[in-house]
Amino acid sequence: MQPPVRLVDFEVANAGEIGHALEVEGPSGEVETEEIEPGDSATLKADLGEPGRYKWYCPIADHEDRGMVGEIVVAAGGSDRPLEDGDAGPGADGPAGY
Ligand SMILES: [Cu+2]
């Protein structure tokens, strides 16, 4: 049986001084943004329809090795309630960027 598809929007802004991008390795494959220039933002739609632990990282140059990497945890039994201010977002425990 195919796992359910649940698209999650990741809204990312580049507050740094060089280009970055966001790649997410979800249960149905990888998705990534184009390179995001400093001051720009992008939205990445990733299918996270299955509980698990998924990797996110910046695919530009050696940024992953330099710490632009983290984990997205999708718990089972969630609700469809939209995220609200104060909810922990993906990568909330990750690096703050550079
Ligand atoms: Cu980067």
Side-chain angles (χ1 to χ4, degrees):
M1 195 178 98
Q2 289 286 91
V5 172
R6 179 163 293 166
L7 291 176
V8 176
D9 286 357
F10 292 89
E11 295 176 18
V12 289
N14 184 354
E17 297 176 354
I18 58 174
H20 295 290
L22 174 65
E23 181 156 337
V24 173
E25 296 181 354
S28 60
E30 297 181 346
V31 288
E32 65 180 287
T33 65
E34 299 289 317
E35 182 166 344
I36 305 163
E37 298 300 329
D40 284 351
S41 58
T43 301
L44 181 67
K45 291 183 183 300
D47 170 19
L48 298 178
E50 204 172 0
R53 306 175 82 90
Y54 304 109
K55 178 182 174 183
W56 68 262
Y57 64 100
C58 176
I60 305 290
D62 63 348
H63 297 188
E64 178 183 357
D65 290 341
R66 294 174 62 182
M68 296 192 83
V69 57
E71 196 173 55
I72 302 158
V73 179
V74 178
S79 75
D80 288 329
R81 179 180 68 82
L83 286 177
E84 295 169 359
D85 287 348
D87 286 342
D93 60 346
Y98 56 87

